[in-house]
Amino acid sequence: MLRTHTCGELRRSDETKSVTLSGWVNSYRDHGENLVFIDLRDRYGKTQIVFNTEEHSEIDSIARKLRREDVIQVVGEVRYRGDDLVNPKLDTGEIEVRVHELKVFSQSKTPPFEIDGNELPNEELRLKYRFVDLRRSPLQEAMKLRHDLTTAVRDYFNSNQFLEIETPILGRSTPEGARDYLVPSRVHHGAFYALPQSPQIYKQILMVSGFDRYYQIARCFRDEDLRADRQPEFTQIDVEMSFVERDDILEMIDGLVSHVVKSVQDIDLPTPLPRYTYADVMERYGSDKPDLRFGMELIDIGDVGAASEFGVFKSVVNNGGRVRGINAKGAADKYSRRLLDKDLKDFVGEYGAKGLAYMKVAGGKLESTIAKFFNEEQQQEIIKRMDGEDGDLLLFVADAAKVTSNALAALRNRMGKELELYDPAEFSALWVVDFPLLTWNEDEQRYDAEHHPFCEPNKQDLEYLKTDPSKVRADSYDLVINGYEAASGSVRIHDSGVQQTIFDLMNIKEEEAEARFGFLLEALRYGAPPHAGVALGLDRWVMLLAGNDNIRDVLAFPKTQRASDLLTGAPAGVDEHQLKDLHISVEDEGEE
Amino acid sequence: MLRTHTCGELRRSDETKSVTLSGWVNSYRDHGENLVFIDLRDRYGKTQIVFNTEEHSEIDSIARKLRREDVIQVVGEVRYRGDDLVNPKLDTGEIEVRVHELKVFSQSKTPPFEIDGNELPNEELRLKYRFVDLRRSPLQEAMKLRHDLTTAVRDYFNSNQFLEIETPILGRSTPEGARDYLVPSRVHHGAFYALPQSPQIYKQILMVSGFDRYYQIARCFRDEDLRADRQPEFTQIDVEMSFVERDDILEMIDGLVSHVVKSVQDIDLPTPLPRYTYADVMERYGSDKPDLRFGMELIDIGDVGAASEFGVFKSVVNNGGRVRGINAKGAADKYSRRLLDKDLKDFVGEYGAKGLAYMKVAGGKLESTIAKFFNEEQQQEIIKRMDGEDGDLLLFVADAAKVTSNALAALRNRMGKELELYDPAEFSALWVVDFPLLTWNEDEQRYDAEHHPFCEPNKQDLEYLKTDPSKVRADSYDLVINGYEAASGSVRIHDSGVQQTIFDLMNIKEEEAEARFGFLLEALRYGAPPHAGVALGLDRWVMLLAGNDNIRDVLAFPKTQRASDLLTGAPAGVDEHQLKDLHISVEDEGEE
């Protein structure tokens, strides 16, 4: 090896040892006399290197030419720095290495930004020089965290008799085919592969084949606009089990989550994780992925509104809408009139709300421009129901039920963060169960699958399949952590007859069903066990555990809007003959 | 869970326990009276189930309708079979389960072939019903072996401070771009991604970024004709290390191989694995991937041939060719004249050899139609050099040097197998090092990289880069196991100047280099450590350890020639609008 130790390894107990270190010149201090100090850096840490250019004149000229990010090898002796000179911030801070041999492996051009500088360069520059950006410790740590996380995941599943099985990347177009990437085949002229949005069909076939407990850390693809938290390729922890019911798989994943957060972040997470129904969280938080690190539940005051003299509330309720509110405890003085009337109103407007009503609690009464429309009894009822105390700020949205949910859920998240109602390091996980199976699609005059077409209907609701399919609950479940969907899954249909009923409701024609997932349908006819599964978004998990909101900080080589800047192929990089071979024509239509 | 135990778990010590089992009906014996026997199967084994249809008349009609591959759940009591009825071939052979509850999860159509039948159906049928084929124990075992192998690989690297880092599947076209799959992007009109043939450039960039020790079990792609042992997507164990020299990485991989074969197959493999130079194995075995489970080295008798009266040998040597042979010990009687003159001659003909000369050793002399052309002294010299004894069969090819290598290497492999010269279960691993760096491409009037353009030239040969580049050895290495290339790697160039020299020799223009791997070239200018890596073909490893020559038996969902039969997309499955969005035109040119 071109080193005997790493740059994070040496301690006072190594004093007098002769060592060889290799790494990057992190910083350079030429004290002008005969001593040159260098902090040498590698993945494991930093070590102070000292050149005495007088004692070792042969390395003088080389040492004085060293610059940041040059890669060097030094041979020297470990010395205690002396009591006054110990650097307690550095693991190796007790020692330095007095160098008598120096070799330059490679010189660096002036780096475009500092590796451990305090100012973060703009993201475009960071992405252009990704190889430099990846040297920064937050990114080094994120890759390490990602590795530790996948290791913990595999350890857990391996110790529970799961097999990791690779499923193909090159496959057939799936039910959500419109967003599939297509790959023309050179060998089979005119034929295409599709990149998988998930290994859904494969893993169900593996259950039919008797593999019983499967997982895979699987690459998935979706050809759609790049949003802030989306990438065209992403990674999911994909799981499927046979001979289980819903609660069995929830319990298995409870164990996974608990094991992972303990291994990676030493968090003790009590299990079983709490379970909420979809109906319950929609009512209490207006969202199917509520952040339960804080309360601030949605409260209905529709009946009070209807009985009041406040025209807006009255008419909304009379037209079948709802009036719901949240209580921002103690926040009466924290939001100015301008913020309330403009910023917050515009904010809920983005979620379709036509207005935002607010009242402050003071002296046991309501203070508001609209307070006068509520009599004493109504005011007391509102205060009671909202658990109001002096200094509280009550906010209300009166609108169609769905709008009140969406607007207040978003407002709740925003205010929870602004008012610092929770510890960002806290880890709050819950299951949401009993989602609707199907939703009516008015445009297409058919039902859409809420999760996907393979989701088992809740046994208690089977009667509704014929009478009112939108009432049928699914045997599906989402894992929600800190307000994000961290996993999603369902019990699958293992009966080809039930599967056919669902396809009929979705108006999927037999030919279409055969073309898209015929292989699975056929498999269900040859002895399919009851099975259920779940998929956990790995990238999201790393973000949650790293406490980082930028997905590009947890991927080694993320994609950006400016695809051509990075490692993405552009027409310039593609040989024209290749395109001709593949019968692809690229016409420039003047679009960007 | 829908079971309390698996079908491979119950023992006599479980007697009298009430258990619930779930699984597939493997076989069915209706003894006509009141007892029905079923072997219930799952991934873990088989358990004998007994229905007493008289005692439990409510399950009589259901039990008698059960057929092979139906999926059922039974509740019953564990009973000892009785001393005379124990089945020693079955782990659960001491017990049976007397059933009093039965539930059918799903019925199976008549399976197209038997799961544990002795006759293997044809491969086309097996692939069509892959979900049934995957229930067969050799395939179940192969998936388990694959899982165990990757687990052992990860354990090894994790305990050696490697990080597994995911690199993108959607990327830019690589140096071997002509075989890249191209993926049109919907978002970036007219732009393409390419699927990686390996993560080569990414992993080198990770080294520049300081990650130091990287591995990945990585999916790779190559758009080319499907051959027997090739698939359009394959998996490799991809490794890269910084601050190492060649011997450091060989030692690290020695440790990996030794750990893996010990973990998975309990084979003790002494390390360090032997190392041979390319020149040495080409001389002794005619191949850069010799099977060292047996000897039968290639011996040169060119000087004897030239001095003899045998015109063929004389003229070949005089024209710069070689005469080389192998000794098939004790095989004099094992090959008929017809086999020698026709089959083996045709066989070496496939490798370019114009003929095959043979002699038998008998009574200390040579017996052959050509023996008369060699005088006594020459005969004795041949016998001595070939280590000939009575009963040996000596075979010779006289031709251009390369032809003698290729033909005799192939003949050696064939005869080693036919003559059963080795134990197929033996595991023989070696390194081949010092490959040539560049080979002259007469057609293109340039040098081609033997390995790839990033391979470091051997320091001792640097002088030849200017005078005779084909003499330069590379710092590259192949791991060969039982005659197959099991891994391949090299020390990489970490100096952008040396990299430029190699591109110049390969006549890669600056513009082309920038377009194809500019991101790496730029990275090398910002402080690149010395680094080296290797890639091990996972699929090949599973095949070697499973003792299976068919790659389709070690992949859950292999691709076949008939792509449309399996999960591969065909135009029928692709929406026309999608193609239009992507500006792909599919013209039917009447080709197949």
Side-chain angles (χ1 to χ4, degrees):
Chain A
M1 302 277 174
L2 298 171
R3 64 186 175 203
T4 55
H5 297 76
T6 71
C7 294
E9 198 173 351
L10 295 169
R11 298 290 181 274
R12 193 172 175 181
S13 55
D14 297 303
E15 213 178 336
T16 75
K17 273 188 192 160
S18 176
V19 299
T20 304
L21 299 183
S22 291
W24 283 261
V25 174
N26 194 66
S27 62
Y28 180 94
R29 298 185 301 285
D30 184 343
H31 284 198
E33 298 175 17
N34 56 358
L35 288 182
V36 173
F37 290 87
I38 278 179
D39 276 350
L40 195 64
R41 187 195 72 236
D42 64 15
R43 184 181 123 198
Y44 311 89
K46 288 176 205 155
T47 299
Q48 179 165 294
I49 303 298
V50 186
F51 300 91
N52 187 321
T53 54
E54 201 170 59
E55 281 175 25
H56 301 285
S57 57
E58 71 283 7
I59 57 176
D60 175 88
S61 64
I62 310 174
R64 291 194 189 271
K65 271 188 223 145
L66 288 178
R67 292 297 173 262
R68 281 195 294 138
E69 301 308 311
D70 287 348
V71 183
I72 61 171
Q73 180 191 49
V74 295
V75 180
E77 192 184 319
V78 182
R79 295 272 189 89
Y80 180 55
R81 288 193 190 186
D83 292 348
D84 296 346
L85 296 169
V86 164
N87 179 353
K89 288 185 198 158
L90 220 56
D91 288 340
T92 63
E94 287 182 311
I95 59 90
E96 61 190 16
V97 176
R98 294 271 171 157
V99 169
H100 54 81
E101 278 181 43
L102 166 65
K103 184 173 176 178
V104 178
F105 285 132
S106 72
Q107 292 184 304
S108 173
K109 288 170 71 173
T110 305
F113 47 86
E114 282 188 50
I115 306 308
D116 54 2
N118 290 323
E119 274 182 48
L120 205 58
N122 70 58
E123 194 171 40
E124 198 173 333
L125 198 68
R126 288 176 52 202
L127 288 166
K128 182 175 176 194
Y129 293 96
R130 189 65 172 177
F131 44 88
V132 175
D133 197 33
L134 280 168
R135 291 177 190 164
R136 293 175 47 244
S137 57
L139 274 76
Q140 295 259 325
E141 282 158 22
M143 297 307 124
K144 176 76 166 60
L145 178 67
R146 201 178 169 95
H147 170 85
D148 291 344
L149 177 58
T150 55
T151 300
V153 167
R154 288 193 164 97
D155 286 347
Y156 179 80
F157 284 123
N158 293 355
S159 68
N160 280 288
Q161 293 195 288
F162 282 76
L163 293 183
E164 183 163 24
I165 299 179
E166 287 184 298
T167 58
I169 298 281
L170 297 172
R172 191 187 268 279
S173 210
T174 57
E176 304 82 17
R179 295 185 300 179
D180 283 351
Y181 281 103
L182 295 181
V183 186
S185 161
R186 201 175 314 235
V187 179
H188 303 278
H189 169 56
F192 293 82
Y193 296 105
L195 305 185
Q197 291 183 49
S198 85
Q200 182 65 33
I201 289 180
Y202 295 111
K203 68 177 175 174
Q204 290 196 240
I205 288 172
L206 289 172
M207 293 304 106
V208 175
S209 296
F211 282 101
D212 210 63
R213 294 184 166 201
Y214 144 95
Y215 78 99
Q216 184 183 195
I217 298 189
R219 208 72 67 89
C220 305
F221 304 86
R222 204 175 286 152
D223 189 3
E224 61 186 359
D225 276 317
L226 296 171
R227 290 181 230 153
D229 63 344
R230 287 279 171 87
Q231 293 281 308
E233 61 185 284
F234 55 98
T235 304
Q236 72 185 31
I237 305 164
D238 198 49
V239 186
E240 199 80 10
M241 294 177 79
S242 289
F243 303 119
V244 292
E245 294 177 297
R246 190 195 71 183
D247 287 0
D248 300 318
I249 193 157
L250 297 194
E251 195 181 308
M252 184 61 73
I253 303 302
D254 279 356
L256 171 74
V257 175
S258 154
H259 172 77
V260 162
V261 300
K262 181 69 186 171
S263 311
V264 175
Q265 300 287 61
D266 199 28
I267 296 170
D268 287 298
L269 196 66
T271 56
L273 299 176
R275 297 175 194 175
Y276 293 78
T277 66
Y278 173 82
D280 189 22
V281 292
M282 289 308 289
E283 185 56 30
R284 290 167 64 187
Y285 304 100
S287 166
D288 59 3
K289 37 181 190 282
D291 188 341
L292 294 199
R293 287 175 297 182
F294 63 104
M296 207 190 259
E297 296 191 14
L298 277 55
I299 309 288
D300 189 296
I301 60 154
D303 55 335
V304 184
S308 75
E309 299 301 313
F310 187 44
V312 176
F313 284 9
K314 282 176 89 79
S315 72
V316 162
V317 175
N318 290 337
N319 288 308
R322 300 185 70 181
V323 184
R324 294 158 93 193
I326 52 175
N327 179 353
K329 298 294 291 180
D333 296 335
K334 294 190 178 157
Y335 288 87
S336 69
R337 187 153 205 162
R338 195 195 134 71
L339 269 176
L340 288 161
D341 286 339
K342 177 78 176 100
D343 285 30
L344 292 191
K345 182 172 174 293
D346 290 352
F347 179 78
V348 295
E350 286 171 31
Y351 299 88
K354 288 179 284 294
L356 179 69
Y358 58 92
M359 309 178 186
K360 296 177 179 181
V361 185
K365 295 190 171 180
L366 293 177
E367 266 185 11
S368 168
T369 53
I370 59 167
K372 58 186 179 220
F373 299 116
F374 298 84
N375 65 28
E376 177 63 23
E377 196 187 336
Q378 288 162 346
Q379 290 203 13
Q380 289 311 313
E381 178 59 24
I382 290 175
I383 291 173
K384 183 181 156 209
R385 211 177 286 180
M386 302 293 293
D387 194 23
E389 294 170 301
D390 283 7
D392 289 356
L393 171 65
L394 312 180
L395 302 119
F396 299 94
V397 171
D399 221 309
K402 196 173 170 182
V403 173
T404 63
S405 288
N406 292 346
L408 287 170
L411 188 61
R412 176 180 175 272
N413 280 340
R414 172 177 166 166
M415 297 186 85
K417 192 171 184 180
E418 282 176 357
L419 297 170
E420 296 178 358
L421 298 184
Y422 55 86
D423 172 5
E426 196 190 326
F427 204 80
S428 155
L430 66 141
W431 287 105
V432 178
V433 300
D434 288 348
F435 283 80
L437 182 71
L438 299 159
T439 48
W440 177 246
N441 183 329
E442 188 63 34
D443 292 346
E444 306 275 346
Q445 290 288 303
R446 64 162 196 229
Y447 287 92
D448 287 335
E450 183 79 12
H451 188 57
H452 58 51
F454 314 116
C455 187
E456 179 96 330
N458 188 310
K459 280 188 194 65
Q460 295 167 2
D461 298 346
L462 283 180
E463 53 178 315
Y464 297 125
L465 269 182
K466 283 177 187 164
T467 56
D468 186 357
S470 60
K471 266 195 180 170
V472 179
R473 289 167 299 170
D475 256 353
S476 65
Y477 31 84
D478 276 6
L479 179 66
V480 177
I481 297 180
N482 295 359
Y484 291 101
E485 181 192 301
S488 184
S490 66
V491 178
R492 323 299 186 186
I493 296 168
H494 67 278
D495 179 303
S496 51
V498 175
Q499 188 64 72
Q500 192 55 56
T501 305
I502 301 299
F503 286 153
D504 290 345
L505 287 165
M506 295 176 66
N507 198 22
I508 296 180
K509 301 269 177 354
E510 194 179 331
E511 193 182 82
E512 189 186 351
E514 277 302 324
R516 285 188 166 175
F517 24 77
F519 202 63
L520 174 62
L521 293 178
E522 180 75 348
L524 292 180
R525 297 180 192 117
Y526 285 85
H531 59 291
V534 68
L536 301 85
L538 179 68
D539 307 322
R540 170 64 65 197
W541 274 89
V542 183
M543 289 171 72
L544 281 166
L545 289 169
N548 193 324
D549 282 341
N550 185 353
I551 195 172
R552 289 179 291 278
D553 281 351
V554 301
L555 302 172
F557 299 99
K559 298 284 181 300
T560 62
Q561 294 284 1
R562 303 187 51 207
S564 58
D565 280 352
L566 277 182
L567 290 159
T568 304
V574 173
D575 192 312
E576 273 180 32
H577 299 294
Q578 283 178 257
L579 299 184
K580 195 148 170 284
D581 277 357
L582 293 168
H583 304 272
I584 294 177
S585 64
V586 181
E587 309 131 36
D588 189 352
E589 299 188 350
E591 292 172 32
E592 175 46 30
Chain B
M1 303 278 175
L2 299 172
R3 64 185 174 203
T4 56
H5 297 76
T6 71
C7 294
E9 197 173 350
L10 295 169
R11 299 289 181 274
R12 193 172 176 183
S13 56
D14 298 303
E15 212 179 337
T16 76
K17 273 187 193 161
S18 175
V19 298
T20 305
L21 299 183
S22 291
W24 284 259
V25 173
N26 194 65
S27 62
Y28 180 94
R29 296 186 303 284
D30 184 345
H31 284 197
E33 300 175 14
N34 56 359
L35 288 182
V36 173
F37 291 87
I38 279 178
D39 276 349
L40 194 65
R41 187 195 73 235
D42 65 14
R43 184 182 123 198
Y44 312 89
K46 289 177 203 155
T47 300
Q48 179 165 292
I49 303 299
V50 187
F51 299 91
N52 186 322
T53 55
E54 203 169 58
E55 282 174 24
H56 302 284
S57 57
E58 71 282 7
I59 56 175
D60 175 87
S61 65
I62 310 174
R64 290 194 190 272
K65 270 189 225 143
L66 288 178
R67 291 296 173 264
R68 280 195 294 138
E69 301 308 311
D70 286 350
V71 184
I72 63 171
Q73 181 191 49
V74 295
V75 181
E77 192 183 319
V78 182
R79 295 273 190 87
Y80 179 55
R81 289 192 188 187
D83 292 347
D84 296 347
L85 297 169
V86 163
N87 179 352
K89 287 185 198 158
L90 220 56
D91 288 340
T92 63
E94 287 183 311
I95 59 91
E96 61 190 17
V97 176
R98 294 272 173 157
V99 169
H100 54 82
E101 278 181 43
L102 167 64
K103 184 173 177 180
V104 178
F105 286 131
S106 71
Q107 292 184 304
S108 173
K109 289 169 72 173
T110 304
F113 48 86
E114 283 188 49
I115 306 308
D116 54 3
N118 291 323
E119 274 182 48
L120 205 58
N122 71 57
E123 193 170 39
E124 199 172 332
L125 198 68
R126 288 175 52 201
L127 288 166
K128 182 175 176 195
Y129 293 96
R130 189 64 171 178
F131 44 88
V132 175
D133 196 34
L134 280 169
R135 291 177 191 164
R136 293 174 49 243
S137 58
L139 274 76
Q140 295 259 325
E141 282 158 21
M143 295 309 124
K144 175 76 165 60
L145 178 67
R146 202 179 168 94
H147 170 86
D148 291 344
L149 177 57
T150 55
T151 300
V153 167
R154 287 193 165 97
D155 286 346
Y156 179 80
F157 284 124
N158 292 355
S159 67
N160 279 288
Q161 295 195 289
F162 282 76
L163 294 182
E164 183 165 23
I165 299 178
E166 287 184 298
T167 58
I169 298 281
L170 297 172
R172 191 185 267 279
S173 211
T174 55
E176 304 83 16
R179 296 185 300 180
D180 283 351
Y181 281 104
L182 294 181
V183 185
S185 161
R186 202 174 314 234
V187 179
H188 303 278
H189 168 56
F192 293 82
Y193 297 105
L195 304 184
Q197 291 183 47
S198 86
Q200 182 65 32
I201 289 179
Y202 295 112
K203 68 176 174 175
Q204 289 195 241
I205 288 172
L206 289 172
M207 293 305 105
V208 176
S209 297
F211 283 101
D212 210 62
R213 294 183 168 203
Y214 143 96
Y215 79 99
Q216 185 182 194
I217 298 189
R219 209 72 67 88
C220 306
F221 304 86
R222 204 175 287 152
D223 189 4
E224 60 185 358
D225 277 316
L226 297 170
R227 290 181 231 153
D229 63 343
R230 287 278 170 89
Q231 294 280 307
E233 61 185 284
F234 56 97
T235 304
Q236 72 185 30
I237 306 165
D238 198 49
V239 186
E240 199 80 11
M241 296 176 79
S242 289
F243 302 119
V244 292
E245 293 176 299
R246 190 195 71 184
D247 287 0
D248 300 319
I249 192 156
L250 297 194
E251 194 181 309
M252 183 62 72
I253 303 302
D254 279 355
L256 170 74
V257 175
S258 154
H259 173 76
V260 162
V261 299
K262 181 69 186 171
S263 309
V264 175
Q265 301 285 61
D266 200 28
I267 295 170
D268 288 297
L269 196 66
T271 57
L273 299 175
R275 296 174 194 174
Y276 294 77
T277 66
Y278 173 83
D280 188 23
V281 291
M282 289 307 290
E283 184 58 29
R284 290 168 63 187
Y285 305 99
S287 166
D288 59 1
K289 35 181 190 285
D291 188 340
L292 294 200
R293 287 175 297 182
F294 63 105
M296 208 190 257
E297 296 190 15
L298 278 55
I299 309 289
D300 190 295
I301 60 152
D303 55 335
V304 185
S308 75
E309 299 300 315
F310 187 43
V312 177
F313 284 9
K314 281 178 89 77
S315 72
V316 162
V317 175
N318 289 337
N319 288 307
R322 301 185 68 180
V323 184
R324 293 158 92 192
I326 52 175
N327 180 351
K329 299 293 292 179
D333 296 336
K334 294 189 177 157
Y335 288 87
S336 69
R337 188 152 204 162
R338 196 194 133 71
L339 269 176
L340 289 161
D341 286 338
K342 177 79 176 101
D343 286 29
L344 292 191
K345 181 172 174 293
D346 289 352
F347 179 78
V348 296
E350 285 170 34
Y351 299 88
K354 287 178 286 291
L356 180 67
Y358 59 92
M359 310 179 188
K360 296 177 181 181
V361 185
K365 294 190 172 182
L366 294 177
E367 268 185 10
S368 168
T369 53
I370 59 166
K372 60 187 174 213
F373 300 118
F374 299 83
N375 65 28
E376 178 63 22
E377 195 187 338
Q378 288 161 345
Q379 290 201 14
Q380 289 310 315
E381 178 59 23
I382 289 175
I383 292 173
K384 182 181 157 209
R385 212 178 282 181
M386 303 293 292
D387 194 22
E389 294 170 302
D390 284 6
D392 289 356
L393 172 64
L394 312 181
L395 303 119
F396 299 94
V397 172
D399 221 309
K402 197 173 169 182
V403 172
T404 62
S405 287
N406 293 346
L408 286 170
L411 187 62
R412 175 179 174 273
N413 280 340
R414 172 177 167 165
M415 297 186 86
K417 193 170 183 180
E418 282 176 357
L419 297 170
E420 297 179 357
L421 298 184
Y422 56 86
D423 172 5
E426 195 190 327
F427 204 81
S428 153
L430 66 141
W431 287 105
V432 178
V433 300
D434 288 348
F435 283 81
L437 182 72
L438 299 160
T439 49
W440 178 245
N441 183 328
E442 187 63 33
D443 292 345
E444 305 276 346
Q445 289 290 302
R446 65 164 194 226
Y447 287 92
D448 286 336
E450 183 80 11
H451 188 56
H452 59 51
F454 314 116
C455 187
E456 179 95 331
N458 188 311
K459 280 188 193 63
Q460 296 166 2
D461 298 346
L462 284 180
E463 55 179 314
Y464 297 125
L465 269 182
K466 283 179 186 164
T467 56
D468 186 356
S470 60
K471 266 196 181 171
V472 179
R473 288 167 300 169
D475 257 353
S476 66
Y477 31 84
D478 277 6
L479 178 66
V480 176
I481 297 181
N482 296 358
Y484 290 101
E485 181 192 302
S488 183
S490 66
V491 177
R492 322 301 185 185
I493 296 168
H494 67 277
D495 180 303
S496 51
V498 175
Q499 188 64 73
Q500 193 55 57
T501 305
I502 301 298
F503 287 153
D504 290 345
L505 287 166
M506 294 177 66
N507 199 21
I508 296 179
K509 300 269 178 355
E510 194 179 332
E511 193 180 83
E512 189 186 352
E514 276 302 324
R516 287 189 163 174
F517 22 78
F519 203 63
L520 173 62
L521 292 179
E522 180 74 347
L524 292 180
R525 296 181 193 116
Y526 285 85
H531 59 291
V534 68
L536 300 85
L538 178 68
D539 307 321
R540 169 65 66 197
W541 273 88
V542 182
M543 289 170 72
L544 282 166
L545 288 169
N548 193 324
D549 282 340
N550 185 353
I551 194 172
R552 289 179 292 277
D553 281 352
V554 302
L555 302 172
F557 299 99
K559 298 285 181 298
T560 63
Q561 294 284 1
R562 302 186 52 206
S564 59
D565 281 351
L566 277 182
L567 289 159
T568 304
V574 172
D575 192 314
E576 274 181 32
H577 298 293
Q578 282 179 261
L579 298 184
K580 193 149 171 282
D581 277 358
L582 293 168
H583 304 271
I584 293 177
S585 64
V586 181
E587 310 132 35
D588 189 353
E589 298 188 351
E591 293 172 31
E592 174 47 30

